[in-house]
Coordinates of all heavy atoms in Angstrom, one line a residue:
S2 N -16.1 -1.4 -7.4 CA -17.0 -1.4 -6.3 C -16.6 -2.5 -5.3 O -17.1 -2.5 -4.2 CB -18.4 -1.6 -6.8 OG -18.6 -2.8 -7.5
Q5 N -15.3 -1.4 -2.0 CA -16.1 -0.8 -1.0 C -16.1 -1.6 0.3 O -16.2 -1.0 1.4 CB -17.6 -0.6 -1.5 CG -17.7 0.5 -2.5 CD -17.3 1.9 -2.0 OE1 -17.6 2.2 -0.8 NE2 -16.7 2.6 -2.8
S6 N -16.0 -2.9 0.2 CA -15.9 -3.7 1.5 C -14.6 -3.5 2.2 O -14.5 -3.9 3.4 CB -16.1 -5.2 1.1 OG -15.1 -5.6 0.3
F7 N -13.6 -2.9 1.6 CA -12.3 -2.7 2.2 C -12.2 -1.3 2.9 O -11.3 -1.0 3.7 CB -11.2 -2.7 1.2 CG -10.9 -4.0 0.6 CD1 -11.6 -5.2 0.9 CD2 -9.8 -4.2 -0.3 CE1 -11.4 -6.4 0.3 CE2 -9.5 -5.4 -0.8 CZ -10.3 -6.5 -0.5
V8 N -13.2 -0.4 2.7 CA -13.2 0.9 3.3 C -13.2 0.8 4.9 O -13.8 -0.1 5.5 CB -14.5 1.7 2.9 CG1 -14.6 3.0 3.6 CG2 -14.4 2.0 1.4
H10 N -10.6 -0.3 6.4 CA -9.7 -1.4 6.8 C -8.3 -1.0 6.3 O -8.1 -0.3 5.3 CB -10.1 -2.7 6.2 CG -11.4 -3.2 6.8 ND1 -12.6 -2.9 6.3 CD2 -11.6 -4.0 7.8 CE1 -13.6 -3.5 7.1 NE2 -12.9 -4.2 8.0
A33 N -11.6 4.1 -9.9 CA -10.7 3.2 -9.1 C -9.6 4.0 -8.3 O -8.7 3.4 -7.9 CB -10.1 2.1 -9.9
C40 N -1.0 6.9 5.5 CA -0.3 6.1 4.4 C 1.2 6.2 4.7 O 1.7 7.2 5.1 CB -0.7 6.7 3.1 SG 0.0 5.7 1.7
E42 N 4.9 4.5 2.7 CA 5.5 3.7 1.6 C 6.6 2.9 2.2 O 7.4 3.3 3.0 CB 6.1 4.7 0.5 CG 6.7 3.9 -0.6 CD 7.2 4.8 -1.7 OE1 7.2 6.0 -1.6 OE2 7.7 4.2 -2.7
G49 N 17.8 -3.1 3.9 CA 16.6 -3.1 4.8 C 15.5 -2.2 4.2 O 15.7 -1.6 3.2
V53 N 8.5 5.3 4.8 CA 8.4 6.7 4.5 C 6.9 7.2 4.8 O 6.0 6.7 4.0 CB 8.7 7.1 3.0 CG1 8.6 8.5 2.7 CG2 10.1 6.6 2.7
G56 N 1.1 10.3 5.1 CA -0.1 10.9 5.6 C -1.3 10.5 4.7 O -1.5 9.4 4.3
L57 N -2.1 11.5 4.4 CA -3.3 11.3 3.6 C -2.8 11.3 2.1 O -2.1 12.2 1.7 CB -4.3 12.5 3.8 CG -5.7 12.3 3.1 CD1 -6.4 11.1 3.6 CD2 -6.5 13.6 3.3
L59 N -3.7 10.1 -2.1 CA -4.6 9.7 -3.2 C -3.8 9.0 -4.2 O -2.7 9.4 -4.7 CB -5.2 10.9 -3.8 CG -6.0 10.7 -5.1 CD1 -7.3 9.9 -4.8 CD2 -6.4 12.0 -5.8
S64 N -3.0 3.6 -12.0 CA -1.6 3.3 -11.6 C -1.6 2.1 -10.6 O -0.5 1.7 -10.2 CB -0.9 4.5 -11.1 OG -1.4 4.8 -9.8
V68 N -4.8 -4.3 -4.8 CA -5.1 -3.8 -3.5 C -5.5 -5.0 -2.7 O -6.3 -5.8 -3.1 CB -6.3 -2.8 -3.5 CG1 -6.7 -2.4 -2.1 CG2 -6.0 -1.6 -4.4
G69 N -4.9 -5.1 -1.5 CA -5.2 -6.3 -0.6 C -5.4 -5.9 0.8 O -4.8 -4.9 1.3
L70 N -6.2 -6.6 1.5 CA -6.4 -6.4 3.0 C -5.2 -6.9 3.7 O -4.5 -7.8 3.3 CB -7.6 -7.2 3.5 CG -9.0 -6.6 3.2 CD1 -10.1 -7.6 3.6 CD2 -9.2 -5.2 3.8
E76 N 0.9 -7.7 11.0 CA 1.6 -6.5 10.7 C 2.4 -6.0 11.9 O 3.5 -5.5 11.8 CB 0.7 -5.4 10.2 CG 0.3 -5.5 8.7 CD 1.5 -5.2 7.8 OE1 2.1 -4.1 8.0 OE2 1.7 -6.0 6.9
E83 N 13.9 -4.5 9.4 CA 14.8 -5.6 9.3 C 14.7 -6.5 8.0 O 15.5 -7.3 7.7 CB 14.7 -6.5 10.5 CG 15.1 -5.8 11.8 CD 16.5 -5.5 11.9 OE1 17.4 -6.3 11.5 OE2 16.8 -4.3 12.3
L94 N 1.6 -2.1 -19.1 CA 0.4 -2.7 -19.6 C 0.5 -2.9 -21.1 O 1.1 -2.2 -21.8 CB -0.8 -1.9 -19.2 CG -1.1 -1.7 -17.7 CD1 -2.3 -0.9 -17.5 CD2 -1.3 -3.1 -17.1

Side-chain angles (χ1 to χ4, degrees):
S2 62
Q5 287 301 321
S6 63
F7 291 5
V8 171
H10 290 89
C40 184
E42 181 178 2
V53 180
L57 187 64
L59 172 68
S64 70
V68 178
L70 284 175
E76 278 291 308
E83 295 296 317
L94 297 178

